[in-house]
Amino acid sequence: MTLKYELFGKEDGNFICHLPNPTPTFFESIKRIRRQIPEIQSIFSPRSAFTNELARLSEGTRKIMPPHPINYSGLEAMTVYKSQKAADGMVVESKGQAIAVFTADCPTTTVYEGVNGRLAVLHCGFRSLVREDQDEMNIIESVFYLPEFEPEQVEVFVGFGIGPCCYGAAHWPEVQRGTIIARNGREMTLPLSRAIRGPRKGQTSLDLYALIRSELIKCGVPSNQIVVDRTCTACAGRSEGKGRYYSRVWEGVGQGANAAVAWFV
């Protein structure tokens, strides 16, 4: 079995999912995923709320229905489900089931256990990675708390989010201090720099990719089993126009969302 992942952006539509009634544009965008990845029959998406929770199919999902029938041009229709509970990670265990995180800056972390065919995708916003309560697990620690994900046996992909060039995270108190207190009580220095592009240029910035990688290694994932794509989706393509991907930092809240999709075949 092989892990696959892909990011869909502005050229593919707009994946912002307004519940309980997503717009027709959302479903037209989903149709483009169906056309490009015909082996996917269903998409499952966590109801992200910057938690440390993961959702499983057995815990309940909600089928997202289009307001009118979608013509899939001869392809079998694709079904989209959202987790019933608020969660920032989703777990599936079958081919043909993809996980999609609809995001507009936050990176995703894809964790694949290929021996038994298990996949988790995590929405790695700041508060999912750095908990206000230092005694809580973060979203990375949560996935490896599950017995079916052994750190030594997984392959991990990190990417599809904003880079330190644009993030500008000075509004977080932990970034202002420059350190966080880990669950073991040890103080950890955050990977900080300065934003050099966009509306937050000049602010203290945080390298979310470096933070995620360090958390994975801390959990026991071998470094040679981690792939990090450091492309900044916030400023990609900005020099040629309005950018290839939606970004809350550049464009504001509610303007649109990308679809970070992972599956295995």
Side-chain angles (χ1 to χ4, degrees):
M1 290 183 284
T2 304
L3 173 64
K4 301 279 189 178
Y5 42 80
E6 191 166 342
L7 179 63
F8 295 83
K10 290 180 178 179
E11 289 186 356
D12 304 296
N14 190 335
F15 297 90
I16 195 164
C17 185
H18 295 294
L19 295 177
N21 299 307
T23 66
T25 300
F26 171 79
F27 291 99
E28 289 298 324
S29 304
I30 291 294
K31 185 168 78 172
R32 296 187 187 187
I33 296 178
R34 186 72 178 99
R35 190 180 299 128
Q36 293 184 47
I37 315 174
E39 63 265 32
I40 295 176
Q41 284 83 49
S42 303
I43 284 181
F44 297 88
S45 182
R47 188 160 58 86
S48 301
F50 300 98
T51 69
N52 61 355
E53 295 285 335
L54 288 96
R56 299 170 179 269
L57 305 189
S58 60
E59 294 174 317
T61 57
R62 174 181 179 178
K63 187 175 181 179
I64 308 301
M65 298 294 294
H68 56 78
I70 301 294
N71 181 3
Y72 280 88
S73 304
L75 291 170
E76 183 181 344
M78 176 182 284
T79 309
V80 182
Y81 299 88
K82 275 276 192 182
S83 62
Q84 290 279 17
K85 73 175 187 179
D88 283 79
M90 196 87 197
V91 178
V92 299
E93 300 184 7
S94 298
K95 293 181 180 180
Q97 295 178 341
I99 301 174
V101 174
F102 305 122
T103 181
D105 278 331
C106 297
T108 59
T109 298
T110 299
V111 181
Y112 177 55
E113 196 277 286
V115 175
N116 298 292
R118 297 185 179 110
L119 176 68
V121 181
L122 316 176
H123 170 249
C124 291
F126 181 82
R127 270 292 167 240
S128 291
L129 294 167
V130 179
R131 305 300 293 161
E132 287 187 277
D133 183 347
Q134 67 186 48
D135 293 324
E136 291 183 352
M137 290 187 292
N138 62 37
I139 193 68
I140 303 290
E141 293 169 322
S142 291
V143 74
F144 294 111
Y145 183 76
L146 302 176
E148 56 264 52
F149 288 98
E150 291 288 342
E152 300 84 1
Q153 297 179 0
V154 301
E155 59 179 290
V156 180
F157 170 76
V158 181
F160 300 157
I162 194 168
C165 54
C166 295
Y167 186 29
H171 52 289
W172 296 112
E174 294 89 346
V175 171
Q176 293 170 17
R177 293 196 304 268
T179 60
I180 58 174
I181 305 299
R183 283 203 305 137
N184 58 16
R186 288 190 294 115
E187 189 174 68
M188 186 177 79
T189 301
L190 291 171
L192 302 180
S193 59
R194 291 280 175 185
I196 59 172
R197 300 187 190 96
R200 296 179 181 176
K201 181 178 178 180
Q203 287 189 21
T204 301
S205 194
L206 172 67
D207 189 336
L208 290 169
Y209 293 138
L211 179 59
I212 293 166
R213 187 177 185 275
S214 69
E215 288 297 306
L216 288 165
I217 291 172
K218 186 179 74 176
C219 287
V221 181
S223 60
N224 63 349
Q225 292 169 210
I226 304 170
V227 174
V228 181
D229 180 351
R230 294 185 58 83
T231 300
C232 176
T233 55
C235 63
R238 296 282 168 186
S239 59
E240 301 101 44
K242 294 184 178 180
R244 294 197 293 272
Y245 304 103
Y246 295 99
S247 169
R248 289 187 177 187
V249 168
W250 277 77
E251 298 159 352
V253 176
Q255 298 305 303
N258 313 301
V261 184
W263 70 105
F264 61 93
V265 295

